[in-house]
Amino acid sequence: MKASGFPYVLPMLLLSVAFFATPLAVLVGFSFAGPGGATLEHYARFFGDAFNFRVLVNTARLGLETVIGTTLLGVPIALLYWHGGRNLRQVLIFLTLIPMLTSNVVRTFAWIVILGRQGPISEALVGLGLTGMPTSLLFTELGLIMAMCQIDLPLIILPLIAILSRTPVQLTEAAQVSGAGPWRIFVTVLLPLMLPGLLAGWILVFASTSSSFVTQAVIGGARNVYVPQLIYREVGTLFDWPLASAIAVVLLLSTGCLLVALTMMSRHRRLVGHA
C-alpha cells in the first residue's frame, strides 16, 4: 500500500474496527467466558448435545439445497439475458433488482400467502388433480427452500450477468461451426466461463441462507430448527449468552471454511483458466 493513499482508507479501517472487529472480538470473548476465567465448556456443551449437531447439519444442508435451487434457476435466466436483445435485458435486470429493493421481511410474509392452503400453489395442485384437497407448504422444508431460492436468486444472477456481459455471443456460433452440439457448448465453453460468477454467487447465497433468521422462523416454523433460531432461543429465552456466543462462533467458522474453500476454487487456474 502506498503511504500517500493511507489517509483515504483510514476512515474505512476505523469503521471496520469499530463496527466489525470489535463486536466480533466481544462475541468470541463471550464464547470463552466462565466463572473462573477462559473455558471451552460452552463449546463442549454445544458439540456434546446431538440435537445441536443435527441443527448445524440441517443449516448446512439448507444452504446447499438453496445453492442448488438458485443455480438451476439462475443459470437459464443469465443465459437468456446473454442471448437477449436490449429490451429483454432491461426487463430481466428490472425483474432481478426490484425484489432486492423490498425488505426480506416483506418478501417472507408474501410467501406465507403463496404457500398457504388458499395460495396459488395449492390451487394449482388441486386444479391439476395432483392433490384432492388444498395443501399447505408452510412449515415444511420444501416451502422454506422455495422461499429462500426466490429471495436469494438475485445474488447468483447478478454475478453471472457480470461475467457473461464481457463475453461475445458469437462464441457459441464459433463452437457450432466447429461441430459442437448444445450440451457440449454448455459444458466445455459456457460453464468454465461462468464458473467465477457461480462461485461468487454460491458464496453469497450460502451465507445469506445460513443466517436468514426471519425466513427460517416464519416459513420453516418450530419443527424445522436452524442455527440462527438456536442462537435466538439461547439469548432471548434462556439468557445463556456464553453458549449463544459459542454457537454463533461455530456458525461463523463453518460458513467461513466453506467460503475459503470456494474462494480458493475461484482462484484455481485449472478450474477458471478458460474464463
Side-chain angles (χ1 to χ4, degrees):
M1 180 185 299
K2 294 181 180 180
S4 58
F6 181 73
Y8 298 102
V9 300
L10 184 59
M12 182 58 71
L13 288 176
L14 293 176
L15 289 174
S16 298
V17 171
F19 297 106
F20 178 72
T22 302
L24 186 61
V26 172
L27 178 72
V28 174
F30 260 115
S31 69
F32 291 104
T39 177
L40 294 174
E41 174 190 353
H42 312 299
Y43 290 95
R45 287 170 57 197
F46 175 77
F47 287 108
D49 191 333
F51 173 77
N52 293 337
F53 188 75
R54 190 164 64 249
V55 169
L56 185 63
V57 172
N58 289 342
T59 305
R61 191 183 69 235
L62 175 65
L64 292 175
E65 289 171 342
T66 305
V67 164
I68 294 172
T70 52
T71 302
L72 294 177
L73 293 172
V75 169
I77 295 174
L79 291 176
L80 183 62
Y81 173 89
W82 188 46
H83 283 286
R86 179 181 178 183
N87 292 334
L88 179 59
R89 288 187 173 190
Q90 289 178 343
V91 170
L92 290 175
I93 286 292
F94 177 78
L95 294 177
T96 302
L97 294 180
I98 279 295
M100 298 185 72
L101 302 178
T102 308
S103 168
N104 278 358
V105 177
V106 175
R107 283 188 282 173
T108 296
F109 279 93
W111 272 100
I112 293 178
V113 178
I114 296 172
L115 297 173
R117 289 183 181 278
Q118 306 303 323
I121 294 178
S122 175
E123 292 183 355
L125 292 175
V126 174
L128 294 172
L130 299 177
T131 58
M133 60 181 65
T135 304
S136 175
L137 292 177
L138 277 175
F139 313 134
T140 65
E141 188 167 318
L142 176 60
L144 177 59
I145 293 171
M146 292 171 64
M148 293 305 310
C149 285
Q150 187 274 327
I151 291 173
D152 291 337
L153 188 58
L155 300 179
I156 202 165
I157 290 179
L158 293 178
L160 288 176
I161 286 178
I163 292 290
L164 292 175
S165 296
R166 302 197 300 265
T167 306
V169 181
Q170 293 78 10
L171 197 63
T172 56
E173 297 175 1
Q176 286 177 340
V177 171
S178 302
W183 178 249
R184 189 172 183 182
I185 291 174
F186 177 77
V187 173
T188 61
V189 178
L190 296 180
L191 194 58
L193 284 171
M194 292 189 295
L195 193 55
L198 283 173
L199 291 171
W202 291 344
I203 292 171
L204 295 173
V205 170
F206 186 86
S208 173
T209 302
S210 301
S211 58
S212 181
F213 168 74
V214 174
T215 308
Q216 292 175 3
V218 174
I219 304 296
R223 287 182 299 178
N224 301 303
V225 181
Y226 302 96
V227 172
Q229 296 164 271
L230 196 61
I231 295 173
Y232 176 79
R233 187 194 70 178
E234 296 298 331
V235 173
T237 304
L238 303 177
F239 302 104
D240 194 342
W241 285 71
L243 180 58
S245 301
I247 299 171
V249 171
V250 171
L251 177 62
L252 283 173
L253 290 177
S254 57
T255 305
C257 290
L258 181 64
L259 300 189
V260 170
L262 291 177
T263 303
M264 292 176 66
M265 287 177 62
S266 67
R267 296 176 179 176
H268 200 287
R269 289 186 176 182
R270 296 188 64 180
L271 288 175
V272 299
H274 299 287

